[in-house]
Amino acid sequence: ALDFLGRAAETGSALARRELLLLSGNGSKTATQSWRDVARSVNIERWQMPVPAQVRFEAPRIVTSKGFASATECDWLIERAKPRLKPAEVYDPHSQGGLRADDIRNNSDTSFDIVQSDLVLMALRERIARFALLQTDDFEPTMVLHYTPGQQFAPHFDFVEDAAPHLARDIAANGQRVATFLLYLNEGFEGGETDFPALGWRYKGRKGDALLFWNVGATGRPDPATLHAGLQPVSGEKWILSQWMRRKSLPISA
C-alpha cells in the first residue's frame, strides 16, 4: 500500500503527497528525495501501536486513553470527512435492515468504505483493534460524526437488539456489536460530552483522546448500563470518530 501511495505521489496526486508527509512525520521532503523514498521511510508499525488506557469502570467495561491519536491525524480525518457529511440516520426496526431519519439523532455524519479509506485511517483502525483486543475484520465502516449547537444523539444503546427477525439474522450473520470506540477530533466547543446516565458519568476528551466501552457483559449479553448519549455542544462544532466493533464468538473478554 505504501508503494502504491508513493507511485500516486510521484504521478502528481496532491492528496497522496500530503498523506505521505503526515505518515513520515516530515513537513516536507528534501530535494534529493523521491516520493517513493518518502514512502519507504514510513514506519507504519509506529502508527499502529496504541497508548496506555485508564480503566474508568469495570462493569460495564469503560476505558479512556489520552493522546490516542495525534493532532495531525485528527485534522486529516476532519478534512476527509467534511465534504461528505450527510444527515445521520438510525436503524429502522420495521424494515429489513434499512435506515431512517429520527428525532433521536439530528447530527450529521459520514462513513468510510474501502474506496474512501486511506492508510492513515487503516493504521488507526489497526491501532483501535489492538487497543480493544479485537480484529479489524470485525469492524463496521468507520464513521465521523459532526455536531453543531442544537444537534445531539439522544440516549440510546449501540448493541443490536434481536427483537425483530431481521435484526436477529444480522446478529447471527455478523455478530453482536460488542464495543464502541470514540476518538475526539477537536476542541474549542462548550458542552458536547458523552453521557452515561445509568452510571452518572460524562466524558469529554481533548483532541486526540479516546473512549472505549463494551456494550455487552462477559457472557456477550447486551448491558443496559451502557445507555449513552452524545450531548449537544452549547457553542462551537464537535467532531468525533466512531468505530463499532462486532464479534460472533462467546463469551466476551475485554
Side-chain angles (χ1 to χ4, degrees):
L2 281 168
D3 182 57
F4 279 114
L5 193 60
R7 293 188 202 181
E10 290 281 4
T11 56
S13 169
L15 185 65
R17 290 177 178 183
R18 289 192 293 112
E19 187 174 358
L20 278 177
L21 292 177
L22 189 160
L23 290 169
S24 66
N26 299 322
S28 61
K29 76 177 185 70
T30 66
T32 58
Q33 277 183 311
S34 69
W35 285 106
R36 294 193 185 189
D37 290 335
V38 177
R40 283 190 285 268
S41 74
V42 174
N43 179 359
I44 201 67
E45 179 65 21
R46 180 176 68 86
W47 288 97
Q48 299 176 84
M49 295 303 297
V51 296
Q54 178 183 359
V55 178
R56 300 299 187 123
F57 293 89
E58 289 289 356
R61 178 77 170 175
I62 301 179
V63 300
T64 58
S65 179
K66 291 184 177 180
F68 189 92
S70 67
T72 52
E73 285 177 280
C74 294
D75 293 341
W76 174 269
L77 291 163
I78 291 174
E79 180 185 353
R80 296 280 287 141
K82 192 175 292 186
R84 301 174 49 246
L85 290 173
K86 60 174 182 55
E89 297 176 306
V90 298
Y91 267 138
D92 184 352
H94 305 296
S95 71
Q96 298 299 310
L99 300 171
R100 62 179 172 85
D102 193 288
D103 290 342
I104 191 176
R105 188 181 190 189
N106 63 351
N107 66 300
S108 56
D109 67 21
T110 188
S111 62
F112 290 83
D113 59 21
I114 190 64
V115 175
Q116 298 295 336
S117 297
D118 53 45
L119 272 184
V120 175
L121 179 59
M122 289 302 183
L124 176 63
R125 283 165 58 95
E126 180 60 33
R127 195 184 321 157
I128 296 168
R130 296 184 184 188
F131 187 64
L133 303 179
L134 292 172
Q135 301 293 323
T136 55
D137 289 349
D138 299 322
F139 282 17
E140 294 189 27
T142 305
M143 304 190 75
V144 169
L145 317 178
H146 179 242
Y147 297 80
T148 58
Q151 295 183 338
Q152 63 173 341
F153 197 165
H156 63 284
F157 299 109
D158 282 351
F159 54 74
V160 181
E161 300 189 62
D162 59 3
H166 70 278
L167 294 178
R169 289 194 295 270
D170 176 38
I171 296 171
N174 302 307
Q176 177 59 271
R177 188 183 286 158
V178 297
T180 298
F181 175 92
L182 299 177
L183 176 65
Y184 298 81
L185 299 177
N186 75 313
E187 299 177 30
F189 60 91
E190 297 296 325
E193 299 92 343
T194 304
D195 180 39
F196 293 82
L199 302 176
W201 183 70
R202 293 180 177 181
Y203 180 74
K204 181 180 179 181
R206 303 198 66 175
K207 185 174 184 175
D209 292 348
L211 168 68
L212 171 68
F213 57 94
W214 286 76
N215 301 306
V216 299
T219 63
R221 295 300 303 166
D223 188 341
T226 60
L227 181 74
H228 63 285
L231 301 183
Q232 62 176 290
V234 177
S235 63
E237 300 178 64
K238 177 175 75 170
W239 292 88
I240 288 183
L241 177 142
S242 174
Q243 181 63 65
W244 285 325
M245 293 168 270
R246 301 239 183 178
R247 187 166 176 177
K248 291 182 182 180
S249 60
L250 299 176
I252 303 296
S253 59

